């Protein structure tokens, strides 16, 4: 924790007190939470940004959509629209937000919606003739107005919530005690060779309740990069001069996977809205080199840069072990919840 972030420490104490009071009021039923007669899985985190929510939501989509009608509901961070919006062909990343538009682009057999008011968003989805059988709430761990049936809490390896502190001194949105609401905790972005001994140390740090399950996952990078109409092996372009471009919270692993000595890098803030000046700068920097970006940035840049030049690198969330147990936990919840409706 650097010195500048220690200065506002009193504000962090105040912020922690306010969020604790809010959680207490929800826990005691003084502030009302709404439940719905449908399996609802909330994926979120205690800290701000960069824990891997998008690949985890995609993992759940792949797991559940072959058997159930699945919908995702997100806030649609930094979108240029308001209220409830259901994804359809005429929309784009600016209207939906980059992550929901990514879901819509990749998974044609699901419904994708955005609404800052998750209660209203769920009600809108359930009012449809073709209503979903499962709703995945993206980044909704602190959205206490809706009571999900199942909570998945993500925390990043090397930046565990147990080692963190409240904003603005640390990165926590709420107290560490909020972790007790989770049914499953996943330590994300682990080294693929993380030892069992270190996993046990992390488990001890997190102090799980007896009813909670713990899993460890890593970011699995694709062996290919993709443009709108073709693909190339990463091994074939590793030593080719290229421009690497990101607008995500923690881009270093992306660069480490792709970068060679002569590559240019451009780093923008998370969920960055690319202006015309940004596009000109990207074109000047690339000088006809191929441009490789993240999947989330690709949906915002597609159509604004020559398609022959623009590529993206897909990622997936993969478990170090016990993926079958995780899948079984999720499918058991969904199956039991569906039978009991």
């Amino acid at each position: 924790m650097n010195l500048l972030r220690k200065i506002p420490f009193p504000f962090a104490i105040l912020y922690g007190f306010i969020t604790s009071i809010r959680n207490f009021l929800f826990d005691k039923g003084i502030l009302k939470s709404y439940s719905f007669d449908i399996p609802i899985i909330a994926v979120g985190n205690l800290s701000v940004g960069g824990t891997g929510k998008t690949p985890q939501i995609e993992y759940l989509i792949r797991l559940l959509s072959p058997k159930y009608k699945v919908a995702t509901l997100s806030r649609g961070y930094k979108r240029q629209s308001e209220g409830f919006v259901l994804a359809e062909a005429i929309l784009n990343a600016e209207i939906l937000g980059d992550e929901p538009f990514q879901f819509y682009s990749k998974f044609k057999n699901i419904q994708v919606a955005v609404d800052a008011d998750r209660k209203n968003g769920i009600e809108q989805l359930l009012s449809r003739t073709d209503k979903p059988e499962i709703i995945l709430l993206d980044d909704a761990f602190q959205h206490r107005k809706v009571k999900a049936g199942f909570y998945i809490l993500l925390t990043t390896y090397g930046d565990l919530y147990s080692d963190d502190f409240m904003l603005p001194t640390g990165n926590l949105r709420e107290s560490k005690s909020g972790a007790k609401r989770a049914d499953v905790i996943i330590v994300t972005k682990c080294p693929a060779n993380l030892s069992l001994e270190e996993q046990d140390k992390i488990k001890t740090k997190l102090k799980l309740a007896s009813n909670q399950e713990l899993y460890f996952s890593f970011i699995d990078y694709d062996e290919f990069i993709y443009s709108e109409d073709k693909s190339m092996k990463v091994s074939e372009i590793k030593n080719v001069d290229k421009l690497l471009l990101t607008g995500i919270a923690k881009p270093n692993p992306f660069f480490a996977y792709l970068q060679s000595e002569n590559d240019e890098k451009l780093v923008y803030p998370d969920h960055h809205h690319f202006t015309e000046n940004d596009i000109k700068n990207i074109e000047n920097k690339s000088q006809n080199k191929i441009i490789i970006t993240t999947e989330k940035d690709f949906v915002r840049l597609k159509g604004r840069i020559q398609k022959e030049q623009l590529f993206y690198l897909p990622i997936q969330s993969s478990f170090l072990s016990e993926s079958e147990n995780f899948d079984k936990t999720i499918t058991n919840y969904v199956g039991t919840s569906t039978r009991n409706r």
Side-chain angles (χ1 to χ4, degrees), residues 8 10 19 33 72 76 119 131 138 146 151 163 165 168 173 192 252-253 264 271 284 293 295 298 329 335:
T19 57
S33 294
T72 65
K119 174 179 175 288
K131 64 184 180 181
D138 180 19
V146 167
Y151 286 91
D163 299 332
F165 200 75
R173 298 171 171 177
N252 286 340
E264 289 271 0
H271 299 280
N284 290 336
T293 189
E295 198 165 5
F298 181 82
T329 295

Side-chain angles (χ1 to χ4, degrees), residues 85-251:
V85 180
L86 185 68
E88 53 184 340
I90 62 171
L91 300 181
N92 53 35
E94 283 69 36
I95 301 299
L96 280 179
D98 48 19
E99 289 153 346
F101 191 71
Q102 179 176 318
F103 299 151
Y104 174 70
S105 301
K106 292 178 71 171
F107 303 101
K108 298 302 184 184
N109 60 334
I110 71 168
Q111 297 175 45
V112 177
V114 294
D115 197 334
D117 183 343
R118 303 304 205 285
K119 174 179 175 288
N120 181 68
I122 293 170
E123 289 171 345
Q124 292 287 337
L125 284 167
L126 295 182
S127 69
R128 291 174 52 81
T129 304
D130 187 23
K131 64 184 180 181
E133 297 171 308
I134 301 168
I135 296 176
L136 305 178
L137 294 183
D138 180 19
D139 195 14
F141 200 79
Q142 284 77 35
H143 200 92
R144 301 294 306 274
K145 191 176 177 181
V146 167
K147 182 173 176 58
F150 197 92
Y151 286 91
I152 299 174
L153 178 64
L154 308 182
T155 185
T156 309
Y157 172 82
D159 192 17
L160 302 172
Y161 64 76
S162 58
D163 299 332
D164 208 342
F165 200 75
M166 296 294 301
L167 288 164
T169 297
N171 293 313
L172 294 184
R173 298 171 171 177
E174 63 170 302
S175 165
K176 302 166 192 176
S177 63
K180 68 186 178 186
R181 300 196 302 275
D183 298 284
V184 161
I185 297 173
I186 304 176
V187 181
T188 62
K189 302 185 179 182
C190 296
N193 60 351
L194 186 68
S195 68
L196 292 175
E197 181 182 8
E198 190 165 1
Q199 291 179 40
D200 287 339
K201 288 180 181 177
I202 292 172
K203 185 175 183 179
T204 301
K205 270 188 174 185
L206 296 182
K207 299 178 181 177
L208 273 66
S210 59
N211 64 315
Q212 293 178 314
E213 296 180 13
L214 178 66
Y215 296 91
F216 296 84
S217 70
F218 64 98
I219 294 298
D220 194 5
Y221 290 98
D222 204 297
E223 295 180 0
F224 289 82
I225 59 170
Y226 300 85
S227 68
E228 285 189 58
D229 52 15
K230 70 175 183 177
S231 62
M232 292 191 291
K233 278 192 172 183
V234 171
S235 58
E236 293 174 352
I237 54 91
K238 189 75 174 179
N239 295 318
V240 173
D241 291 349
K242 50 194 175 290
L243 174 66
L244 305 179
L245 185 160
T246 66
I248 58 175
K250 297 174 182 177

Side-chain angles (χ1 to χ4, degrees), residues 242-265:
K242 50 194 175 290
L243 174 66
L244 305 179
L245 185 160
T246 66
I248 58 175
K250 297 174 182 177
N252 286 340
F254 172 86
F255 293 135
Y257 184 73
L258 290 170
Q259 190 173 7
S260 57
E261 186 176 352
N262 295 321
D263 290 343
E264 289 271 0
K265 291 194 302 183

